[in-house]
Amino acid sequence: MTTTTQRLLDLAAAAPASSDEDLLLLLTEASDLYQQGLEDLRRSVAVRVAGTSPAVLAAAVNAAGLPCDASQDRDELVSLLALTDWQMTPVALAYSEMAKGAADRGVCLIPER
């Protein structure tokens, strides 16, 4: 059974050799997996920081390089903290490169108007 991470890495590896039509399908699936992975990490971070004050969460987010303050909603602070962790994972980096490569070829998930 393939894990979410492995599937996303497989999609990213297949992307450069794909036709534009196939690339859009790969990118769509990869985007869904990316969001799923981020949400899974957000839930894990929420458990890890349960009971931590908003001020401490805001300080952790700021230390990671994202601007925020303690007046922000706790869920938002947890999401930002998860995002700082997620952005540097191999799977998130692979997806970012995949999306950039697709954009360079004119393939994007957001339709043109």
Side-chain angles (χ1 to χ4, degrees):
M1 182 172 173
T2 303
T3 66
T4 300
T5 297
Q6 187 58 54
R7 178 64 182 152
L8 204 151
L9 292 173
D10 290 346
L11 293 170
S18 299
S19 68
D20 288 354
E21 184 177 302
D22 288 342
L23 178 57
L24 182 58
L25 294 173
L26 295 175
L27 191 59
T28 299
E29 183 180 350
S31 177
D32 291 343
L33 293 171
Y34 178 96
Q35 296 304 320
Q36 179 184 340
L38 177 56
E39 178 57 25
D40 290 347
L41 181 60
R42 189 203 62 75
R43 283 194 299 266
S44 173
V45 168
V47 169
R48 187 179 78 220
V49 300
T52 304
S53 74
V56 172
L57 290 176
V61 171
N62 283 322
L66 289 179
C68 70
D69 61 65
S71 68
Q72 288 180 271
D73 178 79
R74 178 181 182 75
D75 288 338
E76 187 175 28
L77 292 169
V78 169
S79 292
L80 288 170
L81 192 56
L83 182 61
T84 64
D85 289 348
W86 178 250
Q87 288 176 326
M88 299 311 295
T89 64
V91 71
L93 293 170
Y95 174 77
S96 294
E97 285 300 311
M98 179 185 184
K100 182 186 178 311
D104 289 346
R105 290 173 47 183
V107 177
C108 182
L109 293 177
I110 302 170
E112 291 186 31
R113 293 187 186 245

